[in-house]
Amino acid sequence: MEPRRIIWRVYHTISLLHTGRLFRHIHWRGDMDIVPIFGVIITTPSHPPPTLVFWRTPPVGSYKINTDGCVKDGFASGGWIIRDSSGQCIRAFFSFYSDCTILEAELRAILDGIILAQRLGLSVLWVESDSTLAIHCITKGGGPWHIQATIRHIRHLLALDRDTITHIYREENQVADLLASEGWDRRCYHEYSSQDLPRRHRSLVQIDRFGLPTVRGL
């Protein structure tokens, strides 16, 4: 327990952790002034510059469904909006799902959106979700056992040779995000037509429709 031996062992251990990439930039937060003492070189991680993203209208003759799931305090909700090739809202919905995981909420919102689009007699669908995991589970497979029935149902309803399901950035998915949050706040199921869509929702729809960009990465 000699002081020099303790200091050397601490120095050696920190060097090993850094070499093994187990000590990263974030772990030195607040102590960057002592980094050179240990012979460690820290490079500040670079962040990609902000980019402009915008919502895209579906091709003529098809319909786009934007969906989102929301989980707060252990309770989940979902929101989705259906729009035509001009960007006009056909229907918007939100629903409260009670207790489930965020992946379950995302998948249930996708499933509910597809079911209601088909109930309205709409085909040639383009489904967008900001959940990369949900999209991967549907298109590539995988995921926990308790979501497999929902995934099978989605695949059964979607004709992947005709319909499309893709990822969208959250900044482009603001209408669905707002609807999912509203479902959590109101804890019920509700449906909006294009005529009774609230002002804030309508404003976001118009922003998307006119192709106005949103900044991502700030």
Side-chain angles (χ1 to χ4, degrees):
M1 295 298 291
E2 295 178 1
R4 288 186 179 181
R5 186 168 181 79
I6 293 171
I7 292 171
W8 180 86
R9 292 185 68 177
V10 170
Y11 178 91
H12 183 64
T13 301
I14 289 176
S15 297
L16 285 176
L17 290 170
H18 176 69
T19 304
R21 298 187 178 181
L22 298 176
F23 245 176
R24 296 188 294 274
H25 182 275
I26 191 172
H27 298 131
W28 293 95
R29 184 178 296 168
D31 296 304
M32 292 297 295
D33 54 327
I34 68 171
V35 169
I37 297 174
F38 298 97
V40 171
I41 300 174
I42 295 291
T43 56
T44 304
S46 59
H47 298 283
T51 56
L52 296 178
V53 296
F54 57 91
W55 183 84
R56 293 170 294 166
T57 56
V60 175
S62 63
Y63 301 88
K64 180 178 275 194
I65 309 170
N66 285 94
T67 73
D68 192 33
C70 170
V71 173
K72 291 186 286 186
D73 299 330
F75 294 101
S77 60
W80 54 101
I81 180 170
I82 304 172
R83 287 176 275 194
D84 63 17
S85 58
S86 67
Q88 293 278 16
C89 171
I90 297 175
R91 294 286 173 82
F93 313 80
F94 60 77
S95 185
F96 184 66
Y97 296 142
S98 187
D99 56 334
C100 67
T101 66
I102 183 60
L103 179 56
E104 288 176 288
E106 296 281 4
L107 289 169
R108 288 181 65 176
I110 292 171
L111 177 59
D112 288 344
I114 296 170
I115 289 173
L116 289 165
Q118 294 186 350
R119 190 191 76 188
L120 294 171
L122 307 178
S123 59
V124 190
L125 304 176
W126 180 358
V127 181
E128 284 186 328
S129 167
D130 56 23
S131 172
T132 53
L133 181 55
I135 299 297
H136 184 275
C137 289
I138 295 167
T139 58
K140 305 294 185 182
W145 65 268
H146 60 272
I147 64 169
Q148 295 306 313
T150 305
I151 291 173
R152 286 195 298 270
H153 198 174
I154 292 170
R155 288 175 175 171
H156 175 72
L157 294 176
L158 279 180
L160 293 179
D161 58 336
R162 178 197 66 197
D163 303 321
T164 306
I165 181 163
T166 57
H167 175 260
I168 185 174
Y169 291 127
R170 187 166 183 241
E171 291 82 358
E172 303 169 74
N173 205 31
Q174 294 187 58
V175 185
D177 181 71
L178 179 59
L179 288 162
S181 296
E182 190 175 0
W184 192 92
D185 292 334
R186 295 178 59 177
R187 307 204 172 196
C188 65
Y189 172 85
H190 187 76
E191 178 178 329
Y192 291 118
S193 68
S194 57
Q195 285 75 33
D196 62 2
L197 201 63
R199 179 177 296 180
R200 185 181 175 192
H201 302 58
R202 193 181 304 119
S203 297
L204 292 174
V205 169
Q206 290 296 87
I207 288 172
D208 288 345
R209 186 182 173 210
F210 294 139
L212 300 179
T214 304
V215 179
R216 170 176 169 78
L218 284 178

